[in-house]
Amino acid sequence: MQAIVVNGKRLETDADPSTPLLWVLRDHLGLTGAKFGCGVGQCGACTVQIDGAAVRSCLAPLSAVGEGQVKTIEGLSADCSHPLQKAWIELNVAQCGYCQAGMLMAAEALLKAKPDPTDADIDAMVSNICRCGTYVRVRAGIHRAAAEIRKTRGA
Amino acid sequence: MNAISIDRRRFFVSVAAVGGALVVGVQPRNAAAGALASGIAPWLSIASDDTVTVFVATPEIGNGVLTQCAMLVAEELGCAWSHIHAEPATPTFNYLNGELYTKAMGRLGFFAGRSTTPARMTTLLQVGASARERLRAAAAQRWQVPVSEIEARDSLLRHKSSGRTLRYGEVAEQAAKVSMAEEPALKPQSQWSLLGKSRPGKLGAAKVVDGSAVYGMDVRLPGMLYAALRQAPVHGGRLKSYDFEAIRQMPGVHSVVVVDPSEPRTNIKVPAPLPDLTQAASGVAVVAEHYWQARQALDALPVAWEAGPGADWATHEKISAAALAVCEAPAKEVLSKGDALGRLGQAGAKTVSAAYLTPFCDHVTMEPLNGTALVTPERTDLWHPSQNPQQAFAIAVEESGVHPSNVHVHQTLVGGGFGRRVHCDDVRMVVAVARKVPGRPVHVIWSREESMRQGRYRPLVATKMTASLGEDGLPDAFLARYSGVGASTTGLVTCAYANGPIPNFRVEGQTVPAHIRTGPYRGPNYNAHAFMVESFIDECAAAAGADPLDYRLKLLARFDDPAWTKCLKVVAEKSGWGGRLPRGQGRGVAISNWSATAPGQPKEGTTVAAVARVEVSRAGELKVRQIDMAFDCGQVIDRDGVLAQLEGGAVFGLNMSLNEMLTIRDGQVVEGNYNEYPMLRMGDLPDIRIHFDALSGNDRYSEVGEPPVGPIGPAIANAIFAATGKRIRQTPFRLQDLSWA
């Protein structure tokens, strides 16, 4: 058995240490928010955070997580109150929605590093694929959430 | 508003009280006697806690169909938006109750592709109005006041003079007992407060952003096993041998299952939207406790395949060459107006001729193919992200051999469709695997590589066009010969130019029998032929020495739908058409139309005009800077939903034209993942600008998902020509030599 910390909770798993974190989360821990899209770190649907950094969980073996704090879409807020979640709902960002958990986790990591991101910052750090083509609204959602976070902080 | 009023000779509104809720359904009348068929298909229920449930046969694939259906009900019902939600209507219920849903909505009633089916729109408006009037009548009885004094709004019934209120839920049960001599007429469109305005908020949005939305991939059942699937890498090939002993001891491995298409299937048939049910592919699956274990074991499993006849079509170059060769010779006539052959044979006229080619492309839905089934001798349950649940039902019945009354399709959310999940070959494979593990739910997952190499691809299309230009420079005769794998006439026969603008118009075609499997892909065949025809029209304009926009305006003045001209004028103005650009930049224009009901006819379907502005470096690097689109679908119900579809359609059209191509080696699809099949990402996008100004207001609400995919590619190709003088006749553009001096 190995324990990892996910969304602030210590969880035990009997998954083999070589199992990618994505499948540990989805099949062993019942957290299906992070999605399987490609398995090769290309599409970003599986994006979670480890210690605040966006990570493509399909490539990260369980053994590499160690004591790192894993955060998934289920841990973004308890009640859809995160400014990114609110912006996503207000702007009707999602179409099929399958890639959006990964988009959101990449976006949140970006906003922590760059509270006032430029378009180029967004392009660089949110390189996830969306086949529905929601990119225009993803970008708008990030800018809207960034503005709200800055306002709340009185910046 | 004649276009949307319910056909009262064919349908009858029925109500019932079920567990304190008012349930409103629609009964079709039997054609002959006018008598009612048995059973009620519920369309709407209002529970005692005010919850409004709309039952929708069409799955949500991201196009917002559930939201639109709820909007239609809410417009007439006057319920609070926060109280409304949608649930799937099931194909099993439909089967057991005399096809009550498909009788109301037609053969494709369960098909996710069209969100604006007129029959569904009218029915939803009617059940909303019928429920509202019964609620008002019930409140009037309760208060002993005239119905006319009661207002129904925001899920509240209000007696205007006394100020008394009742919640909808408080009188729902009583409302089910109200009998009405006649169902209420629908509101005139001028009184709509929701429809045609911006969306009140997409249903299910919160579940998407908190990760609780359940797609096919997220189905979790007690005792569930996982299967990793591999099918014959040469389509149509067969499994020759495998060695289970090599993986038997690997962690979590349960069994290996073989799918053999030659095994006998049941003869139980149920009505299916697409009567030609897709066949099983020869394949092998490793079943294990967890997916990763199944995947690892499958990768380690020694497997040998027989290629079959597909080996004869070893490469995409061979297939493309065969398709282009077919286009050089006369083939079967599929459309002939006037005397195109005679005209083209005349000496002296200026002639333009060119052959175009588009490749196989995969849908690459973000959610890889997958599904879960539990099969026992008595019952089959399928949890599936289908685009066509009734098709899924028919296939699950046939593949499991269980009586249809005991086959249950549980529709999940769908992580992208674009046509890939219409024919339900994935359902066939899921059930084929699960029935070999009876009594255990099995979640069958295609890896991305398996999804990409076992696609039902966008057809490979080759088309040669020849036109002769009249005195005025416009084409007076046009001949198109198409070929390819899975190629069809859509976009040629259904082209507006065939209906007036070009008097002598002929289409011939013959496909190539290569083994690569094809299927519908967002705007089937239209997505290829729009590129070809609109590029070719540009070639004609260039030959005539005309501006491409003016040329199209002249040509389309002969088509009986002024909205086409309007689309062109709007998009020209908004894009700054004609304005000076630096060297290496250019603008291109294209216009096309997709209609599911009356393709190629004036005032039908959705017309989209696009202008692209591109920049091409001397070395040939292409950047698309700006896309402007103007469109006419008649009218819109869900304005923001329409905008989202056009934005997404533009991105889809961009990716298809710039990037997408599958190649074939040894009869197998080479590309398996996104590192080999590049996709546009956020930083690659041009400025995309959608303009609503060309909407005609014509009495139709045509679909907008497929149409925008058409004009993007040709607008870019025509812009490349304007920038460089190079005519690009193949996609993807990333593989063409665009360098210039």
Side-chain angles (χ1 to χ4, degrees), chain B residues 511-573:
Chain B
T511 56
V512 169
H515 63 299
I516 304 294
R517 294 184 178 121
T518 59
Y521 169 109
R522 200 169 185 171
N525 272 278
Y526 156 81
N527 58 41
H529 281 136
F531 161 62
M532 298 171 177
V533 171
E534 281 302 292
S535 297
F536 184 72
I537 290 294
D538 233 58
E539 295 203 53
C540 293
D547 172 81
L549 176 74
D550 292 342
Y551 194 76
R552 283 178 175 80
L553 287 170
K554 280 197 190 118
L555 197 50
L556 287 164
R558 302 173 178 173
F559 188 58
D560 187 23
D561 183 353
W564 285 63
T565 300
K566 183 84 183 286
C567 286
L568 284 171
K569 286 184 171 167
V570 167
V571 81
E573 187 211 321

Side-chain angles (χ1 to χ4, degrees), chain A residues 20 23 26-28 35-38 42 73 85 92 94-98 127 131-132 135 137 139, chain B residues 199 202 209 215 217-218 220 226 290 292 362-363 366 418 448 640 644-645 647-648 660 673 680-681:
Chain A
W23 297 107
R26 291 183 52 82
D27 293 357
H28 294 260
K35 295 291 187 271
F36 169 50
C38 69
Q42 280 277 325
I73 187 72
Q85 290 170 314
N92 289 323
Q95 287 189 31
C96 86
Y98 193 81
S127 59
R131 180 56 150 170
C132 298
Y135 298 122
R137 293 178 188 222
R139 186 190 298 287
Chain B
R199 175 191 280 177
K202 195 174 177 185
V209 301
Y215 297 84
M217 200 63 88
D218 304 325
R220 293 292 178 273
Y226 291 84
H290 294 290
W292 189 247
D362 186 42
H363 306 74
M366 293 311 298
F418 317 112
R448 171 58 61 195
D640 191 57
Q645 285 301 299
E647 289 167 355
E660 292 181 50
N673 214 317
L680 290 174
R681 295 165 199 253

